[in-house]
Amino acid sequence: PAPAVAIALQRPLGGRAVTRFGAKRADGGSELGTTYGVAAGAAVLAPAAGRVAFAGPFRTYGDIVIFEHGGGVLTLLAGLGTID
C-alpha cells in the first residue's frame, strides 16, 4: 500500500545513478532500488529524518541501514563499507 504521508527524500550521496528504481532489466524484471557509482569511502547520509530501525550486516547485501521515516515510509541503504 502507498505510504500514509509524503516524505521528501534527498539523495543519500553524490555520484551518478547507475540503475534507477523501477527501471526494466535485461532479464525482464524491474530494479528494486537505485544504485550509485561513487568513489570508495564516499560519505552516505540518511535520505530524510527518521529513526534507524536496523544497522549491520544482512545476507548478501553487506552492511545495511534501514530508516523508518514515519507514515509507513522506510528506506534501505545497502552495500556500505562501514557504518558510523
Side-chain angles (χ1 to χ4, degrees):
V5 297
I7 303 290
L9 299 175
Q10 304 297 315
R11 286 179 59 138
L13 66 158
R16 180 178 60 86
V18 177
T19 64
R20 296 205 181 268
F21 177 80
K24 295 294 180 194
R25 297 188 315 237
D27 66 3
S30 296
E31 292 293 339
L32 301 176
T34 300
T35 302
Y36 296 95
V38 298
V44 180
L45 304 174
R51 180 183 83 83
V52 174
F54 177 84
F58 183 75
R59 298 186 183 178
T60 61
Y61 295 96
D63 284 336
I64 70 168
V65 179
I66 300 173
F67 296 97
E68 290 181 345
H69 302 289
V73 177
L74 300 173
T75 56
L76 184 146
L77 301 177
L80 304 171
T82 59
I83 299 173
D84 296 331

